[in-house]
Amino acid sequence: MTELRSALAEVVGARHVLAGGDSPPEYAHDESLTVPGAAPGFVVRPGSTAEVAGVLRAAAAHGARVTARGSGTGMSGAAVPEAGGLVVSFERMNRILEIDGADHTATVQPGVTLAALDRAAAAGGLVYPVFPGEMSASIGGTIATNAGGMRAVKYGVTRQHVLGLEAVLASGEVLRTGGKHVKQSTGYDLTQLIVGSEGTLALVTEATVRLYPRLAFQATVLAPFASLQEVTAAVPGIIATGVGPLILEYVDVLTMAAITASEEIDLGVPAAVREKTLAYLVVVLEERTEERLATAVEELAEALTGLGAPDVYVLPDHAASRLIEAREKAFWAAKNAGADDIVDTVVPRAAMAAFLADAAEIAGQHGGLVVGAGHAGDGNVHLAVFQPDPGRRAEILHGIFAAAVSRDGAISGEHGIGAAKKRYFAEFADPVAIELMRRVKRAFDPAGMLGPGVLFD
Amino acid sequence: MTELRSALAEVVGARHVLAGGDSPPEYAHDESLTVPGAAPGFVVRPGSTAEVAGVLRAAAAHGARVTARGSGTGMSGAAVPEAGGLVVSFERMNRILEIDGADHTATVQPGVTLAALDRAAAAGGLVYPVFPGEMSASIGGTIATNAGGMRAVKYGVTRQHVLGLEAVLASGEVLRTGGKHVKQSTGYDLTQLIVGSEGTLALVTEATVRLYPRLAFQATVLAPFASLQEVTAAVPGIIATGVGPLILEYVDVLTMAAITASEEIDLGVPAAVREKTLAYLVVVLEERTEERLATAVEELAEALTGLGAPDVYVLPDHAASRLIEAREKAFWAAKNAGADDIVDTVVPRAAMAAFLADAAEIAGQHGGLVVGAGHAGDGNVHLAVFQPDPGRRAEILHGIFAAAVSRDGAISGEHGIGAAKKRYFAEFADPVAIELMRRVKRAFDPAGMLGPGVLFD
């Protein structure tokens, strides 16, 4: 271990190598509710691509296994090291290398936070449209998990915005994929393979991502519905109008009560309507002119009424932004309420109503409760699972994932498999696909050095 | 060979196995201008996934190498078999299995043409937005090459629309990826790996693709510019307005003259303006209401004037659709004019002007000429190369690709590498990336059975 420490210190300088015992406790965990933390042997903080390559060569030489870490805001345990393992933290590689106002791209180091990139893009009238609800998340982490978030219904998820990568392989070789060009048909798309690979294939050291014109006008529309089924059944109808919502979320009444109470938001929904409401649809539109926004809101309101909403509320700007912020913090609200796990299962959007009914029934069968909100436009259902007993909770998760897969869905829409959901992944993913993924893993990382315990055992 | 024939006949029935000598000559080639055709040993026409699996098992048992074929409209020779090899033609697997009007998806067999899918989607008020200029192209072929086309500037390329695949591996195993859900973070994205792999990793037997609301109103705006540099320099400015063009093409004056003459289109541009014009920008907007379209056209016209266009012409519907159709046939116009090769190099869109100047100079240095049109919004430059001498033409291509790569571009935006461009791919792609691609290829197809001579030697 002393030898590894010396080798690492030679690469990054002694002050950027922390022994596990001396390192702050946050390096031992991420935000997963169920993956136990583990103290790393060392935490190393490289400052450049060359240093990352040197670190991986040193790790290989000493048989150390490597867990990459951005901001540690992941939900699946992919940033939790194995006990005694090596954490490569990208906190020092946090520079925005370029905002290109003509090509509408940003080239950044992996430790740049979404908040920092948003500020830099906004200064050029642009936006990087990945808003997964946690702006302290790093670009590297969001690439690792293919982060989505509320605006994915309009803009798509992270993989739609990553144009090129620089990444270091387990061998220490530096790979370059893609570039500032927006499309190519020039060999296999290694960019897309690395996006969503949760730190198991390569360590991203630089990313070129796509930016978009930042539209100036937004309106938030709230539609109460008498049942969760009605709210999710309305979603395909809204998409079909072509209004192209920026955000299209459902929030069940328990979750809405929790977030409005904790944030003291007044949504202006009369008590008589609230009493008959079991779920809300929150729709945000954005446009580049006020006139276009006004007509779009009218179209939307008409569509919502036609789809069964008894009334429709256009929120004042202040209430709207607080509601969206509060919705982004729904995870924290659930955690504070004592949720035992969080799942973010994805199904075809038209299957959401039936899937939610399945989930409620399955939870009940095992003495638990699920409540939640979700990216309704994407069929991405975020459920807080309440059932403290691990065995019974595992039955609930098993049932929920089985229900999702049987409805042509997948275990995770955006949080990833990590260490948290890998037993379900092994059970429910196509076995031919899993075997191919294992072979792809070996093609990138023959010794199994990167992301120990993530995705596969 | 007789044994292979019997084995294939057992799988698909004797009448769906054609010996090379008896098979129509089109099975020997695709639309590449430079890859020589080669007579296959056999052409086999499976009718189901199980039959495709049986064919691949028979091929493996008899050491036959397999070239997948859709409609044969590819531009890179990826559908050209090796001499005596086995062509698997998907012409019988041409059923649209489902148009899902709630989830906005289509599930199709690979032999379905874009034209057939467009008719079926239109009947539901939806659109599959991949229009690569050849509606007889098959879905399987467009997935293999990650086809783009003029509408990619708004909707993105094929890989953005493929949600799930069923594919048969060289081993005969059947792989299932993705599904009707629009996003996932559930292991490596094998869907994205297969899209654009040009038939070298697996044979796609079913695809679920995303559909979008079919917007009812379109307008086509033509802006003449005094130089190719001005036209390409205007592109970032148009994107920055946020009008979100459906189509944003540049057409040089030679190409425009060829397509308007052959199609007898009157664009209404006065002779005095035409004389000072060296290139055109063609911008198509689409909206869901006439009012939104009218205001968007106004915004666009103002932007174009600000960007240097002396005047702006909103084309009558008839002329507009003929111009777009003619632009789609630019390849045929170039071929008829005696073009010796076609390239579809991609660069960052702001680098287009400089790249076009490079290309013209390089062609001139080697006694050739390049003319063209391209997807300006995507930086995807389609150039017809005129230089009959293969050696000098190779110098031109080499120079053009070197120029593109030095400007952070790639060899092909949408046509693919196939057999046509693989020597340049081997030279200009990142060597670390190429080695990884070879390992990925071995992970899928250890014996090198699929797509012989495509991408790699």
Side-chain angles (χ1 to χ4, degrees), chain A residues 103 188 200 287 292 350 439 443, chain B residues 103 188 200 287 292 439 443:
Chain A
D103 286 318
Y188 308 147
T200 64
E287 294 277 358
R292 289 173 73 87
R439 285 189 231 157
Chain B
D103 287 316
Y188 308 147
T200 64
E287 293 279 359
R292 289 173 73 88
R439 284 190 234 157

Side-chain angles (χ1 to χ4, degrees), chain A residues 352-420:
Chain A
M352 236 183 327
F355 170 71
L356 284 165
D358 294 345
E361 192 187 328
I362 292 160
Q365 282 166 358
H366 299 283
L369 177 70
V370 292
V371 297
H375 310 319
D378 289 347
N380 191 191
V381 173
H382 290 235
L383 292 174
V385 181
F386 294 84
Q387 169 51 275
D389 178 70
R392 302 187 79 187
R393 194 167 68 238
E395 297 282 356
I396 295 175
L397 264 64
H398 187 274
I400 285 177
F401 296 143
V405 169
S406 79
R407 295 188 185 281
D408 201 11
I411 291 172
S412 171
E414 51 193 33
H415 292 176
I417 298 299

Side-chain angles (χ1 to χ4, degrees), chain A residues 100-104 144-146 148-149 152-153 157 159-160 169 173-190 192-193 195-198 200-201 208 210-211 213 215 236 239-244 287-289 291-293 295-296 299 346-351 375 377-380 382 408-417 425 429-430 432-446 455-456, chain B residues 100-104 144-146 148-149 152-153 157 159-160 169 173-190 192-193 195-198 200-201 208 210-211 213 215 236 239-244 287-289 291-293 295-296 299 346-351 375 377-380 382 408-417 425 429-430 432-446 455-456:
Chain A
D100 181 332
D103 286 318
H104 289 184
T145 188
N146 186 26
V153 64
V157 294
R159 69 169 67 258
Q160 270 100 47
L169 304 180
E173 291 170 292
V174 178
L175 167 72
R176 280 209 163 260
T177 71
K180 277 189 193 175
H181 50 284
V182 298
K183 66 181 184 188
Q184 68 174 40
S185 180
T186 301
Y188 308 147
D189 198 325
L190 300 178
Q192 293 297 327
L193 196 52
V195 175
S197 66
E198 303 192 58
T200 64
L201 295 182
T208 298
R210 201 165 178 175
L211 306 177
L215 305 187
I239 301 287
T241 61
V243 294
E287 294 277 358
R288 62 185 185 279
T289 67
E291 296 68 34
R292 289 173 73 87
L293 185 63
T295 59
E299 282 176 78
V346 63
V347 293
R349 62 178 174 241
H375 310 319
D378 289 347
N380 191 191
H382 290 235
D408 201 11
I411 291 172
S412 171
E414 51 193 33
H415 292 176
I417 298 299
F425 177 56
D430 178 44
V432 176
I434 294 223
E435 173 54 26
L436 275 176
M437 290 184 203
R438 285 184 178 276
R439 285 189 231 157
V440 167
K441 165 72 174 169
R442 285 195 292 271
F444 274 73
D445 177 19
L455 280 178
F456 313 108
Chain B
D100 180 332
D103 287 316
H104 289 184
T145 188
N146 187 25
V153 65
V157 294
R159 71 169 66 260
Q160 269 100 46
L169 304 180
E173 290 169 293
V174 178
L175 167 71
R176 280 209 162 259
T177 72
K180 277 191 193 174
H181 49 284
V182 298
K183 66 181 183 188
Q184 67 174 42
S185 181
T186 301
Y188 308 147
D189 198 326
L190 301 178
Q192 293 297 328
L193 196 52
V195 175
S197 66
E198 303 194 59
T200 64
L201 295 182
T208 297
R210 203 165 175 174
L211 306 176
L215 305 188
I239 302 286
T241 61
V243 294
E287 293 279 359
R288 62 183 185 280
T289 68
E291 296 68 35
R292 289 173 73 88
L293 185 63
T295 60
E299 282 176 79
V346 63
V347 294
R349 62 177 174 242
H375 309 318
D378 289 347
N380 191 193
H382 290 235
D408 201 10
I411 292 173
S412 170
E414 49 191 34
H415 292 174
I417 298 299
F425 177 57
D430 178 45
V432 177
I434 293 219
E435 173 53 26
L436 274 177
M437 290 183 203
R438 286 183 178 276
R439 284 190 234 157
V440 167
K441 164 72 174 171
R442 285 195 291 272
F444 274 73
D445 176 21
L455 280 178
F456 314 108

